Each structure stands twice: as C-alpha cells, then as structure tokens.
Amino acid sequence: MHETLVILQLHKIGFEKVGGCKKNQRTALEEAIKILGLIKCDLMEPDAETVSAPRQLGKYRIKRGIYTEEQFQKNYERNTPSPRNRDFRIQGRVQCRFSWARFRKIILKMFPILNWLCAYRVREWFLNDIHAGLSVGMVQIPQGLSGVLLTRLPLPVVNGFYSAFCCSLTYVIFGTSHHISIGSFSILNAMVADVLKTLNFSPILTANGTFANFSDANYMKSYMEALTLTASTTFLTGIIQLLLGCFCLGFVTTYLPKTLIDSYLTAAALHVIVSQFSFIFGIVINFHMGPLAIFYNLFQYCVALPKANATSILLFLVGLVMLRISNCIKITYKHSPVAFPMELLLIITITIIANHVHLHAESSMLAAKMVPHRFLPPTLPDLSNLSRIVAHAFSLAIVSYFLLIFVGKRYACIHNYNISSNQELMAIGLCNIFSSFFKSFAVSCAISGTVIQEKTGGKTQFAALIGTSIMLVVVMKAGHFFQALPNAVLAAIVMVNMFPFLEKFMDVPTLWRQDKYHFVIWIVTFAAVLCLGLDIGLAIAMGFTFFIITVRSHRMKIVMLGQIPNTDLYRSLSDYKAAAEIEGVKIFQCCSSISFANMRHFKGYLLEKMDVKAVPLDENEMRALISVSLSSTGMEKKDFRCACVCDPPEPLPRIPYTEKLVKRLHRDNESSSSSLNLIRWSKFESKHSSGTLTTGMLQTQRAQSTAIRLRAARPESGKKKDEGERTWHSSDPGVDTSTTLLCQEATEFSTYPVHTIILDFSMVQFVDLQASDLLRQMFHMFQNLGISVLIASCHLSVIAIFEKNDFFDGCVTKARFFLTLHDAVLAALEQNQRPEIVELSAGDPEQELDEGLTEEQKERSLHSGNNKDISSLKITGSELLNEEPISDLFRTYSLQSEAEMNIFQQYDAPPPEPGDRDEEWEQKWKYARDP
C-alpha cells in the first residue's frame, strides 16, 4: 500500500514536469519505479543493532467462554466414525472385484526381488555387485570345507555347497535385506552337534585329531542316522520359522531397541572369535555349548596350548596384518567408498602357495578325503523322531531368525532402507526347509560374508547371487585346489570381519551419559548372551528389555504447576521461579498414563501434597454407604427378605468409595489434650488489610471435629502463611474482605484452604480399568472434604475409555472435564468467588451468627442428600476439615444426636489479648458474653 502511494506521488511530480501526454506519463511512471527501487534498497540495508536484536513474536488475544467437554460436544458436532469401525452387514449380494493395484502390491510383498530388480541401476551398481560377489564367493568355499572341526560330523562335500546355493537363491527371491549373505554359522553348527548326543553318536573326528573307521558297518549305520537326525532338525527348524512368519509373529522385533541388537551382536562376535581358536592354534577340542560354555572352551584351549601349531599361528598373524593394512587403502567408485579386496587376494595367494609348498598347517584336505560319500541325492527328511528334537529345533529357529534380523537391521539402518520382519522370518524358514533336503545344517546370516559383501560395495542381492554361483562353479571344477588352504587364513578373515561389531564397546560410556536404562539393557544383554549362550541369553535379554520398557512407560511422574502471572501458561513450580500457585487451587500434571502399576503412586502423591491420608471405612460407615446406594437406586431397604431362587440375582450396589480422607497429624504441631471447649480469638493481617476471625473448639466426646466457614461480603485473599510458598491471588485486590473460621486450635492449617484440585491429563494416553475405579473413588473422597476435582486437557480416547469403564455417575460427570487447563482454573475461581453468602448486620452479631450457623447446617444437610455434581460444592468448597471427618452421607446415619450441634449457637469468648488490640477492628466487631 505504501509503495503504491509513493509511486503515485512520484508519478504526479514527474507528470507535472514533463507534461500531460501519455508518452510522458509512461516515462514519469518508469522513473518513479526506479526511484522507489533505490529507496527500497536503502531501507533494506540492516543496521548492526537490527541484526543483533531478537525478533519480536506476535501477540494474540482470544475472548471466548469457558468450555467443558460436555458443552463443547453440544456446540460442535463430531465427525462420524469411519466405515471400518462400523459393524459389517451384508446387504444384498456379495460382489467380488479384482484390482490390479492390490494384486501388484501382494506380488511385490511376496517376492521382494521384484522391488530392486525392476529398479536396478546397471551402470552404478553392476560393477559393485560383481566385486562384492567375487569376494563373498571365494570366502564361502573354505568356510564350507572347514565345518568339520566344530561339529566333528563331516557332511558330503557337494551336499553342503548345493545346500548353500539353494539357500542363497531362495533368500535372493524372498528376502528383503540388500546385504545379507546366507550360509552356515559356526555357533549354529555347534548347537546342532548337541542334538547328536541324544543318539550317543561317536564323532568321526576325535579330540586327538584322528578319524574314525568308516569300514565298520555299525559305525556307518550310526553315521547315516546322524545325518538323518540333522536333516530332521533343520527341516523342523524351517517349519517353525515358516509358521511363525505366517502368524506374523515377527512384530516382536519392533519392541527390541537398537541397544539390545548391538549388544547381542557384540557377544555373538566374541563367540565366533572363540570358535576360531581351533583354526588359529591348529588344535581340536570337545567344543561345548550351553551356559558358561565359552569359559569352559577357553580353559580347554589354554590346556591344549602347548600342542599348538606354530605355522598356523604365523599364518594367522600374517593374514591379520595384511587385512588390517588393507583398511588403509581407500578406493572410490561412483562417489562411493569401496574396500580393497584383500580377502580375495589373500585366499588366492595362500592357496597357490599351499598347493606348491607344504606349510605343515592344519587344513580341510584330510577331513574332506575321509568323507565316505561325495554326494547324497536330496530326500525328504525323516519325521518319525520329531518329538525328540522339537526343543532343539525351536531354539535353533529363534537364534537363526534373530541373528538374521539383527544383522539385517544394522545394515538397513546404515544404508537407509527398511526390511520386513515377517518376510524375513518366512524367507529364512524356506531356506532351512531346502537345506534339510540335502541333509545339511541349519543356516542363518553368515556374519563374515555379510560384512564382506557390504564393505566391498554390494548394493543388492545380485551380489549374493553372483557369489553363490561362483562358489558352486569353482567347487565343482577346482574344489580340491582350495582344500590345501590353511584354516588359519580363514580364521584371520573371520576375526577381522568381527571387529566392526566389537567396536560397539566404545558406545558403552556414551550410553551411561545419555540413558541409564539403555546402558543397563546393554550390560545385561551382553553378560547373558556371553555367559549363557545365544539362545538362553537372548530369552533373558528380551525378558529384561520388556521389563524395562514396562517399568519406564508406567513410571509415574507428577509435577505441581503454577501460573505464569498475567498469562494462560502453567509451568512447574520447581522449575520456574515466575510460576506461582493459585489461591485455593492445586494443579497436578500427570506425565504418563495411569494403570494398575502406578495408580498407587499416583494416589499417594496426591494425598501427600494435600496433607491428608486415606483411612478405610468401618463396618457402620460401609453399611450406611450401602443403604444410601440402595435408596438411590430405588431398591427396598429390608433387613430380612425372601426371594425365589429362580429369580435372577439382583446386582450388587455400587459403592462409590471404600476409604475416607483424614488430616495428617504432625507431632511438632500436636498440643496436649483438654476436656474443655477452648475458644480463641486471633486476627491475621492480610495483604489487603483484611481481618480473619478464627474460633477453635475441641470436642472430646467424639472423634469427629467440625469446621464451618461462614463468608461475609466476599471471599478474601489472605496473607501467605510461608514466605517461601508462592501464591497467585485471584481475587480483586481492591476489595476489603473478612472471614469467620471455626476450626481446631491445636491443628495447623494453611491460610488458604484448597477448594479445587485440577488434574492436567494432557500427557495421559490411557487409563485402565483399575485406575479408572481408583480415580472415581478419589473424586468422591475429596468431594466429602468439600474439595472438587477437575480434569483438564483430557484426550477423547481417554474419555471413551472412561465411558466404557462406567466411570461417570451422578457425582462424576463430564462437567468436570475441561478443554484446557486455563478453562479449568477459571471455572474453579469463578465458582469459588460466587458462594452462598451469609451477610452479617451490625445490629446483633450474636443473632446473625446463630442464623448463619443454622443456615449452614441446612446447606450441609442438603449437600449430604444431593451430592450430585460440582455445583453442589459452592458451600462445602470453602470448608476446612481436620482430624477424622466422616462422610456426610453416613454422618446423618451414624450420628443420631443431631441436637448436639446446637452447642455452636452460643459462644463464651474472652476479649482479645492486649497485644492484638485494634481500635478500628474492635469498633467494627462487637462481642457479647452472656445475654
């Protein structure tokens, strides 16, 4: 707008100078625009002060009424629920429609290979996949030949490689990870060896390194039974995984944090490293599995260390140094880092040397030559002995799957893609089923092969397909050539590829500083898996993690809020100095959901802050409460009643609460008991020069004490009792008010009695059934003390839970629920400022006081009869009870001597003490002793 005025003004000046023709007008307009541009550029040059000054945010002012949930739902219509939430009703004939989009989605979900195959980038990914496939394929060859040293059960050589090829091909089609390399895992093979102990099978490779005699017919029969049992175990493992995937139980991995995954893989890497000691030292031991097996194996290695092969140790160190040096060589292709193929170069080089020079190191050549069968045709596994191996198969299925999904999630997070847990479960199940046909071991993620495939630049599963194809071709044509490769070189390759998982030890100090819960999860998982094994340790780690998640999600945190003056903002009183407590209002913010696990803490915190305690009702009080409930439901009150057994039983009466709230007695404030009725006059100076008249009476004949507060004129805002306590006065500061209190002398009370408790439920996601019942009881218990409880910012889903749990009744209604916290505060202050007023005239104060007390007794009786909603708290909201107040519902039932209340109608009061004299105050109030 201002720019337009400037242009018009400049245009007018230029028009006056150049004349009135259209051409001159156009010229003048162009000059005006140029001048405006120069002016605008000058104005846009910022000063140093302008740059450094913070930007002032805008202000807003909204004027609206106070909304409760009930009023808001009446004024604003809610959206109808979606059709999926409605009851399904068949109307007319059923129509079947075919959708190409849905069919395509199902096919892509069942066959994930189509997702990356259709979007394959040949120029960018092909060479990387070729490079990674060559490295992985060459490493899988010696791994397949060296499994005999752990299981001491050599499989037919060709069967093992056929099984690896079929499993890799199956995972390429059905797997969702781009970097997983499927193959045998040394720890899983050792777990399968435990199954063979059930047959008392004598191992082929003994502890001293000699082989059994296959010429013996009995031993050959035992060997074939061992192969059959191994195939059955692998088949049952695949079936269990397939069934778990069909029932979509892979979602369990969603609740496992990254901390558990890293800790589990770190412990598994240590297990793998210990299993490679047989290759490093060239010794064979009875490899154990189970609790504390790693320490037992380490002890056996230490005992057999004098028999170690020096050549194997030297080859291991040479390979380890070369692999570590290769990490310093950086290769970049297509702006992506690619690792130097040192594994490929090392295997080929050492294999050529070993075939020409006898290295006197342990290799797989002798074990491969002793296998009686080079190839066994695929057959269906034997299902007759499934009952003997079901426990072992289930353990293998769990470890195999979680090892696969943990490694897959690790690299999916690094390369920013997602994997499907259920699809991975079905994929590994199919892999194990195909592996059982070749009498092979259970397969999972080959950790070393996966690390090699990722660091050498593999982008898709096409690298795994190339690797397994190269492996099968090389074994068929030149398998005997790689049998001379020393096992120590393979151990060096495996150990170096375990180092990325061991680097997670460096994250432990960071976890301690950032999150103590995750630190404990990491330590417990690592210790359990390392000491108890991959199966039992995984179960303990998962159970402990679920326990920590449950405790953390249900751990109740409640803070008291105060108002930032002159705003609608509420912050914690302990965190902000500007936050001040509102007179007569306590605001509590629940920072978590309320359930059976934390509801006791929630109740205890509220009672502690309100300085009250809960006492169970006695038998008479419960009977009175039940009679009131029966009368409210219209049922007959009879001590003796006969009914037909055929009649349906009547529902039990609903008891609103089973406890009552009493004032906590503090020893420091306790005074000696007296049998006399003490009357004490005291005056408290308030902030606005208002006086408070306190009359205390102690009644020794009954355990109950009565406190009645009569208001004259308007409610006051008195002086703070403790200077350390911040109070935000809500009443009008210009009004002089006075209050008459009748309370117990010896009990210390706050100058400002609490009339409203507000619960901020903005952070509460759900309230379960038991917590709903407890919350409803607290509503009733606080209302009997004359304290109303309001709830603010409660989500609609929580209100729906309250409705399902029969939370609402005649006392607890939706009128207590407010949209915002500020609405609840304004409603509480408004109701507290508009009580039923008893005006005292200057004529006869004693008579007016009697009338006021009589009226108060009527109102209390009316309140005990109704006790319906928040509007009935206008009188009792300002009452201050102590000792053991009994509910008004059963006070009229249990206290028969109602005439004793007349003792309040006459008062014998001594004059004020000399130190408390005030002429104006004495002129305003006159007191008479006896009439």
Side-chain angles (χ1 to χ4, degrees), residues 286-323:
N286 292 323
F287 200 82
H288 289 265
M289 292 298 298
L292 303 178
I294 186 173
F295 303 104
Y296 188 77
N297 293 330
L298 286 174
F299 175 76
Q300 284 191 323
Y301 281 126
C302 293
V303 172
L305 196 59
K307 301 178 182 179
N309 191 325
T311 306
S312 297
I313 297 175
L314 181 61
L315 289 174
F316 167 75
L317 294 177
V318 171
L320 188 66
V321 171
M322 293 181 63
L323 290 170

mmCIF file of all heavy atoms in Angstrom, residues 286-323:
data_model
loop_
_atom_site.group_PDB
_atom_site.id
_atom_site.type_symbol
_atom_site.label_atom_id
_atom_site.label_comp_id
_atom_site.label_asym_id
_atom_site.label_seq_id
_atom_site.Cartn_x
_atom_site.Cartn_y
_atom_site.Cartn_z
ATOM 1 N N ASN A 286 36.851 -80.737 22.468
ATOM 2 C CA ASN A 286 35.419 -81.040 22.565
ATOM 3 C C ASN A 286 34.672 -79.727 22.781
ATOM 4 O O ASN A 286 34.531 -79.252 23.905
ATOM 5 C CB ASN A 286 35.152 -82.007 23.715
ATOM 6 C CG ASN A 286 35.718 -83.381 23.452
ATOM 7 O OD1 ASN A 286 35.688 -83.853 22.313
ATOM 8 N ND2 ASN A 286 36.250 -84.020 24.483
ATOM 9 N N PHE A 287 34.207 -79.135 21.695
ATOM 10 C CA PHE A 287 33.568 -77.811 21.763
ATOM 11 C C PHE A 287 32.218 -77.945 22.445
ATOM 12 O O PHE A 287 31.361 -78.721 22.022
ATOM 13 C CB PHE A 287 33.408 -77.242 20.355
ATOM 14 C CG PHE A 287 33.220 -75.765 20.332
ATOM 15 C CD1 PHE A 287 34.305 -74.909 20.409
ATOM 16 C CD2 PHE A 287 31.953 -75.215 20.235
ATOM 17 C CE1 PHE A 287 34.146 -73.541 20.386
ATOM 18 C CE2 PHE A 287 31.776 -73.846 20.212
ATOM 19 C CZ PHE A 287 32.870 -73.005 20.288
ATOM 20 N N HIS A 288 32.029 -77.162 23.495
ATOM 21 C CA HIS A 288 30.811 -77.232 24.298
ATOM 22 C C HIS A 288 29.884 -76.063 23.947
ATOM 23 O O HIS A 288 30.325 -74.991 23.541
ATOM 24 C CB HIS A 288 31.145 -77.192 25.795
ATOM 25 C CG HIS A 288 31.799 -78.443 26.288
ATOM 26 N ND1 HIS A 288 31.106 -79.478 26.867
ATOM 27 C CD2 HIS A 288 33.107 -78.823 26.286
ATOM 28 C CE1 HIS A 288 31.940 -80.440 27.213
ATOM 29 N NE2 HIS A 288 33.159 -80.065 26.871
ATOM 30 N N MET A 289 28.606 -76.302 24.160
ATOM 31 C CA MET A 289 27.581 -75.280 24.008
ATOM 32 C C MET A 289 26.695 -75.301 25.241
ATOM 33 O O MET A 289 26.482 -76.345 25.849
ATOM 34 C CB MET A 289 26.736 -75.516 22.757
ATOM 35 C CG MET A 289 27.498 -75.304 21.456
ATOM 36 S SD MET A 289 28.111 -73.617 21.249
ATOM 37 C CE MET A 289 26.566 -72.704 21.223
ATOM 38 N N GLY A 290 26.169 -74.119 25.591
ATOM 39 C CA GLY A 290 25.303 -74.031 26.756
ATOM 40 C C GLY A 290 25.802 -72.983 27.729
ATOM 41 O O GLY A 290 26.695 -72.179 27.413
ATOM 42 N N PRO A 291 25.248 -72.962 28.945
ATOM 43 C CA PRO A 291 25.677 -71.969 29.937
ATOM 44 C C PRO A 291 27.153 -72.118 30.294
ATOM 45 O O PRO A 291 27.653 -73.218 30.510
ATOM 46 C CB PRO A 291 24.769 -72.273 31.145
ATOM 47 C CG PRO A 291 23.582 -72.965 30.554
ATOM 48 C CD PRO A 291 24.090 -73.747 29.404
ATOM 49 N N LEU A 292 27.844 -70.991 30.317
ATOM 50 C CA LEU A 292 29.267 -70.908 30.670
ATOM 51 C C LEU A 292 30.158 -71.732 29.748
ATOM 52 O O LEU A 292 31.298 -72.071 30.097
ATOM 53 C CB LEU A 292 29.493 -71.340 32.121
ATOM 54 C CG LEU A 292 28.702 -70.570 33.197
ATOM 55 C CD1 LEU A 292 28.996 -71.153 34.571
ATOM 56 C CD2 LEU A 292 29.041 -69.102 33.157
ATOM 57 N N ALA A 293 29.672 -72.063 28.563
ATOM 58 C CA ALA A 293 30.451 -72.881 27.634
ATOM 59 C C ALA A 293 31.670 -72.133 27.120
ATOM 60 O O ALA A 293 32.712 -72.742 26.859
ATOM 61 C CB ALA A 293 29.576 -73.330 26.468
ATOM 62 N N ILE A 294 31.556 -70.806 26.949
ATOM 63 C CA ILE A 294 32.673 -70.054 26.400
ATOM 64 C C ILE A 294 33.875 -70.090 27.348
ATOM 65 O O ILE A 294 35.034 -70.190 26.900
ATOM 66 C CB ILE A 294 32.235 -68.606 26.092
ATOM 67 C CG1 ILE A 294 33.356 -67.864 25.370
ATOM 68 C CG2 ILE A 294 31.790 -67.878 27.348
ATOM 69 C CD1 ILE A 294 32.931 -66.495 24.876
ATOM 70 N N PHE A 295 33.627 -70.063 28.648
ATOM 71 C CA PHE A 295 34.729 -70.114 29.602
ATOM 72 C C PHE A 295 35.318 -71.525 29.673
ATOM 73 O O PHE A 295 36.542 -71.681 29.823
ATOM 74 C CB PHE A 295 34.245 -69.673 30.983
ATOM 75 C CG PHE A 295 33.629 -68.307 30.986
ATOM 76 C CD1 PHE A 295 32.254 -68.143 31.059
ATOM 77 C CD2 PHE A 295 34.423 -67.176 30.897
ATOM 78 C CE1 PHE A 295 31.689 -66.893 31.065
ATOM 79 C CE2 PHE A 295 33.864 -65.913 30.901
ATOM 80 C CZ PHE A 295 32.491 -65.769 30.967
ATOM 81 N N TYR A 296 34.474 -72.528 29.533
ATOM 82 C CA TYR A 296 34.978 -73.901 29.523
ATOM 83 C C TYR A 296 35.825 -74.156 28.280
ATOM 84 O O TYR A 296 36.876 -74.819 28.357
ATOM 85 C CB TYR A 296 33.794 -74.870 29.578
ATOM 86 C CG TYR A 296 34.198 -76.317 29.754
ATOM 87 C CD1 TYR A 296 34.601 -76.802 30.999
ATOM 88 C CD2 TYR A 296 34.191 -77.201 28.679
ATOM 89 C CE1 TYR A 296 34.976 -78.131 31.169
ATOM 90 C CE2 TYR A 296 34.563 -78.523 28.833
ATOM 91 C CZ TYR A 296 34.959 -78.983 30.077
ATOM 92 O OH TYR A 296 35.344 -80.297 30.234
ATOM 93 N N ASN A 297 35.403 -73.627 27.146
ATOM 94 C CA ASN A 297 36.184 -73.794 25.914
ATOM 95 C C ASN A 297 37.514 -73.049 26.004
ATOM 96 O O ASN A 297 38.548 -73.556 25.547
ATOM 97 C CB ASN A 297 35.377 -73.303 24.715
ATOM 98 C CG ASN A 297 34.159 -74.156 24.444
ATOM 99 O OD1 ASN A 297 34.152 -75.363 24.724
ATOM 100 N ND2 ASN A 297 33.110 -73.552 23.905
ATOM 101 N N LEU A 298 37.482 -71.839 26.589
ATOM 102 C CA LEU A 298 38.736 -71.103 26.753
ATOM 103 C C LEU A 298 39.705 -71.864 27.657
ATOM 104 O O LEU A 298 40.929 -71.880 27.418
ATOM 105 C CB LEU A 298 38.452 -69.715 27.327
ATOM 106 C CG LEU A 298 37.828 -68.698 26.378
ATOM 107 C CD1 LEU A 298 37.467 -67.419 27.128
ATOM 108 C CD2 LEU A 298 38.787 -68.381 25.235
ATOM 109 N N PHE A 299 39.188 -72.495 28.683
ATOM 110 C CA PHE A 299 40.048 -73.268 29.578
ATOM 111 C C PHE A 299 40.673 -74.453 28.832
ATOM 112 O O PHE A 299 41.866 -74.758 29.006
ATOM 113 C CB PHE A 299 39.228 -73.753 30.776
ATOM 114 C CG PHE A 299 39.989 -74.651 31.707
ATOM 115 C CD1 PHE A 299 40.929 -74.124 32.584
ATOM 116 C CD2 PHE A 299 39.764 -76.026 31.703
ATOM 117 C CE1 PHE A 299 41.640 -74.951 33.447
ATOM 118 C CE2 PHE A 299 40.471 -76.847 32.560
ATOM 119 C CZ PHE A 299 41.407 -76.321 33.429
ATOM 120 N N GLN A 300 39.868 -75.119 27.991
ATOM 121 C CA GLN A 300 40.406 -76.243 27.231
ATOM 122 C C GLN A 300 41.457 -75.788 26.224
ATOM 123 O O GLN A 300 42.468 -76.477 26.004
ATOM 124 C CB GLN A 300 39.276 -76.972 26.492
ATOM 125 C CG GLN A 300 38.434 -77.855 27.388
ATOM 126 C CD GLN A 300 37.514 -78.762 26.596
ATOM 127 O OE1 GLN A 300 36.977 -78.357 25.568
ATOM 128 N NE2 GLN A 300 37.329 -79.982 27.067
ATOM 129 N N TYR A 301 41.240 -74.620 25.604
ATOM 130 C CA TYR A 301 42.249 -74.103 24.686
ATOM 131 C C TYR A 301 43.545 -73.786 25.420
ATOM 132 O O TYR A 301 44.651 -74.027 24.906
ATOM 133 C CB TYR A 301 41.729 -72.852 23.986
ATOM 134 C CG TYR A 301 40.775 -73.139 22.851
ATOM 135 C CD1 TYR A 301 39.512 -72.546 22.808
ATOM 136 C CD2 TYR A 301 41.126 -73.980 21.808
ATOM 137 C CE1 TYR A 301 38.633 -72.798 21.769
ATOM 138 C CE2 TYR A 301 40.253 -74.250 20.772
ATOM 139 C CZ TYR A 301 39.006 -73.661 20.759
ATOM 140 O OH TYR A 301 38.142 -73.915 19.723
ATOM 141 N N CYS A 302 43.438 -73.257 26.614
ATOM 142 C CA CYS A 302 44.649 -72.940 27.382
ATOM 143 C C CYS A 302 45.401 -74.210 27.783
ATOM 144 O O CYS A 302 46.642 -74.237 27.783
ATOM 145 C CB CYS A 302 44.277 -72.136 28.629
ATOM 146 S SG CYS A 302 43.637 -70.487 28.266
ATOM 147 N N VAL A 303 44.651 -75.261 28.120
ATOM 148 C CA VAL A 303 45.301 -76.519 28.482
ATOM 149 C C VAL A 303 46.007 -77.126 27.281
ATOM 150 O O VAL A 303 47.127 -77.683 27.397
ATOM 151 C CB VAL A 303 44.257 -77.485 29.072
ATOM 152 C CG1 VAL A 303 44.848 -78.881 29.269
ATOM 153 C CG2 VAL A 303 43.721 -76.956 30.390
ATOM 154 N N ALA A 304 45.378 -77.045 26.096
ATOM 155 C CA ALA A 304 45.951 -77.641 24.886
ATOM 156 C C ALA A 304 46.902 -76.716 24.151
ATOM 157 O O ALA A 304 47.363 -77.063 23.060
ATOM 158 C CB ALA A 304 44.822 -78.070 23.948
ATOM 159 N N LEU A 305 47.190 -75.546 24.716
ATOM 160 C CA LEU A 305 48.041 -74.584 24.027
ATOM 161 C C LEU A 305 49.454 -75.105 23.758
ATOM 162 O O LEU A 305 50.049 -74.759 22.725
ATOM 163 C CB LEU A 305 48.100 -73.288 24.831
ATOM 164 C CG LEU A 305 48.616 -72.049 24.093
ATOM 165 C CD1 LEU A 305 47.759 -71.746 22.874
ATOM 166 C CD2 LEU A 305 48.641 -70.838 25.029
ATOM 167 N N PRO A 306 50.059 -75.941 24.605
ATOM 168 C CA PRO A 306 51.394 -76.479 24.257
ATOM 169 C C PRO A 306 51.416 -77.305 22.981
ATOM 170 O O PRO A 306 52.481 -77.473 22.372
ATOM 171 C CB PRO A 306 51.762 -77.332 25.481
ATOM 172 C CG PRO A 306 50.995 -76.725 26.605
ATOM 173 C CD PRO A 306 49.704 -76.278 25.989
ATOM 174 N N LYS A 307 50.264 -77.816 22.562
ATOM 175 C CA LYS A 307 50.198 -78.604 21.325
ATOM 176 C C LYS A 307 49.902 -77.742 20.106
ATOM 177 O O LYS A 307 49.633 -78.273 19.024
ATOM 178 C CB LYS A 307 49.123 -79.671 21.445
ATOM 179 C CG LYS A 307 49.328 -80.634 22.599
ATOM 180 C CD LYS A 307 48.192 -81.637 22.663
ATOM 181 C CE LYS A 307 48.369 -82.582 23.848
ATOM 182 N NZ LYS A 307 47.250 -83.566 23.944
ATOM 183 N N ALA A 308 49.900 -76.429 20.244
ATOM 184 C CA ALA A 308 49.526 -75.543 19.141
ATOM 185 C C ALA A 308 50.540 -75.638 18.007
ATOM 186 O O ALA A 308 51.730 -75.892 18.206
ATOM 187 C CB ALA A 308 49.430 -74.102 19.641
ATOM 188 N N ASN A 309 50.022 -75.396 16.812
ATOM 189 C CA ASN A 309 50.841 -75.426 15.596
ATOM 190 C C ASN A 309 51.410 -74.033 15.362
ATOM 191 O O ASN A 309 50.671 -73.072 15.170
ATOM 192 C CB ASN A 309 49.987 -75.871 14.408
ATOM 193 C CG ASN A 309 50.804 -76.182 13.175
ATOM 194 O OD1 ASN A 309 51.816 -75.545 12.907
ATOM 195 N ND2 ASN A 309 50.362 -77.181 12.412
ATOM 196 N N ALA A 310 52.743 -73.916 15.357
ATOM 197 C CA ALA A 310 53.386 -72.619 15.193
ATOM 198 C C ALA A 310 53.154 -72.056 13.800
ATOM 199 O O ALA A 310 53.014 -70.830 13.629
ATOM 200 C CB ALA A 310 54.887 -72.738 15.472
ATOM 201 N N THR A 311 53.091 -72.901 12.794
ATOM 202 C CA THR A 311 52.863 -72.423 11.423
ATOM 203 C C THR A 311 51.481 -71.805 11.290
ATOM 204 O O THR A 311 51.302 -70.772 10.628
ATOM 205 C CB THR A 311 53.032 -73.581 10.430
ATOM 206 O OG1 THR A 311 54.309 -74.209 10.633
ATOM 207 C CG2 THR A 311 52.940 -73.083 9.007
ATOM 208 N N SER A 312 50.505 -72.440 11.911
ATOM 209 C CA SER A 312 49.141 -71.890 11.859
ATOM 210 C C SER A 312 49.086 -70.522 12.536
ATOM 211 O O SER A 312 48.437 -69.600 12.024
ATOM 212 C CB SER A 312 48.162 -72.845 12.532
ATOM 213 O OG SER A 312 48.103 -74.081 11.839
ATOM 214 N N ILE A 313 49.759 -70.374 13.663
ATOM 215 C CA ILE A 313 49.752 -69.087 14.352
ATOM 216 C C ILE A 313 50.428 -68.026 13.493
ATOM 217 O O ILE A 313 49.962 -66.877 13.406
ATOM 218 C CB ILE A 313 50.440 -69.222 15.715
ATOM 219 C CG1 ILE A 313 49.666 -70.206 16.605
ATOM 220 C CG2 ILE A 313 50.553 -67.869 16.403
ATOM 221 C CD1 ILE A 313 50.330 -70.488 17.935
ATOM 222 N N LEU A 314 51.548 -68.385 12.835
ATOM 223 C CA LEU A 314 52.253 -67.432 11.993
ATOM 224 C C LEU A 314 51.408 -67.012 10.798
ATOM 225 O O LEU A 314 51.329 -65.816 10.462
ATOM 226 C CB LEU A 314 53.572 -68.041 11.524
ATOM 227 C CG LEU A 314 54.448 -67.146 10.649
ATOM 228 C CD1 LEU A 314 54.844 -65.878 11.403
ATOM 229 C CD2 LEU A 314 55.688 -67.918 10.168
ATOM 230 N N LEU A 315 50.748 -67.971 10.154
ATOM 231 C CA LEU A 315 49.890 -67.633 9.015
ATOM 232 C C LEU A 315 48.719 -66.753 9.457
ATOM 233 O O LEU A 315 48.297 -65.850 8.721
ATOM 234 C CB LEU A 315 49.378 -68.912 8.361
ATOM 235 C CG LEU A 315 50.406 -69.737 7.576
ATOM 236 C CD1 LEU A 315 49.782 -71.043 7.108
ATOM 237 C CD2 LEU A 315 50.936 -68.935 6.388
ATOM 238 N N PHE A 316 48.200 -67.022 10.642
ATOM 239 C CA PHE A 316 47.111 -66.189 11.152
ATOM 240 C C PHE A 316 47.577 -64.743 11.360
ATOM 241 O O PHE A 316 46.871 -63.799 10.983
ATOM 242 C CB PHE A 316 46.599 -66.779 12.468
ATOM 243 C CG PHE A 316 45.712 -65.865 13.244
ATOM 244 C CD1 PHE A 316 44.400 -65.644 12.844
ATOM 245 C CD2 PHE A 316 46.181 -65.189 14.366
ATOM 246 C CE1 PHE A 316 43.567 -64.780 13.559
ATOM 247 C CE2 PHE A 316 45.365 -64.328 15.082
ATOM 248 C CZ PHE A 316 44.054 -64.129 14.677
ATOM 249 N N LEU A 317 48.736 -64.553 11.941
ATOM 250 C CA LEU A 317 49.239 -63.205 12.182
ATOM 251 C C LEU A 317 49.536 -62.485 10.871
ATOM 252 O O LEU A 317 49.257 -61.281 10.739
ATOM 253 C CB LEU A 317 50.494 -63.274 13.051
ATOM 254 C CG LEU A 317 50.287 -63.779 14.480
ATOM 255 C CD1 LEU A 317 51.614 -63.872 15.213
ATOM 256 C CD2 LEU A 317 49.324 -62.884 15.240
ATOM 257 N N VAL A 318 50.089 -63.199 9.879
ATOM 258 C CA VAL A 318 50.353 -62.573 8.579
ATOM 259 C C VAL A 318 49.053 -62.132 7.917
ATOM 260 O O VAL A 318 48.929 -61.008 7.400
ATOM 261 C CB VAL A 318 51.127 -63.547 7.673
ATOM 262 C CG1 VAL A 318 51.208 -62.999 6.243
ATOM 263 C CG2 VAL A 318 52.521 -63.781 8.219
ATOM 264 N N GLY A 319 48.067 -63.025 7.940
ATOM 265 C CA GLY A 319 46.785 -62.655 7.351
ATOM 266 C C GLY A 319 46.116 -61.513 8.091
ATOM 267 O O GLY A 319 45.500 -60.630 7.480
ATOM 268 N N LEU A 320 46.239 -61.506 9.420
ATOM 269 C CA LEU A 320 45.635 -60.431 10.213
ATOM 270 C C LEU A 320 46.274 -59.082 9.898
ATOM 271 O O LEU A 320 45.574 -58.070 9.741
ATOM 272 C CB LEU A 320 45.786 -60.766 11.696
ATOM 273 C CG LEU A 320 45.057 -59.859 12.689
ATOM 274 C CD1 LEU A 320 43.551 -60.000 12.516
ATOM 275 C CD2 LEU A 320 45.455 -60.207 14.113
ATOM 276 N N VAL A 321 47.588 -59.058 9.760
ATOM 277 C CA VAL A 321 48.275 -57.805 9.453
ATOM 278 C C VAL A 321 47.908 -57.308 8.055
ATOM 279 O O VAL A 321 47.651 -56.119 7.848
ATOM 280 C CB VAL A 321 49.795 -57.999 9.604
ATOM 281 C CG1 VAL A 321 50.543 -56.776 9.084
ATOM 282 C CG2 VAL A 321 50.154 -58.252 11.060
ATOM 283 N N MET A 322 47.869 -58.205 7.089
ATOM 284 C CA MET A 322 47.533 -57.799 5.728
ATOM 285 C C MET A 322 46.110 -57.252 5.640
ATOM 286 O O MET A 322 45.851 -56.272 4.925
ATOM 287 C CB MET A 322 47.707 -58.979 4.776
ATOM 288 C CG MET A 322 49.149 -59.451 4.603
ATOM 289 S SD MET A 322 49.300 -60.814 3.441
ATOM 290 C CE MET A 322 48.742 -60.040 1.926
ATOM 291 N N LEU A 323 45.187 -57.873 6.354
ATOM 292 C CA LEU A 323 43.803 -57.398 6.327
ATOM 293 C C LEU A 323 43.652 -56.052 7.023
ATOM 294 O O LEU A 323 42.848 -55.209 6.593
ATOM 295 C CB LEU A 323 42.888 -58.433 6.978
ATOM 296 C CG LEU A 323 42.696 -59.738 6.198
ATOM 297 C CD1 LEU A 323 41.978 -60.772 7.046
ATOM 298 C CD2 LEU A 323 41.927 -59.483 4.903
#
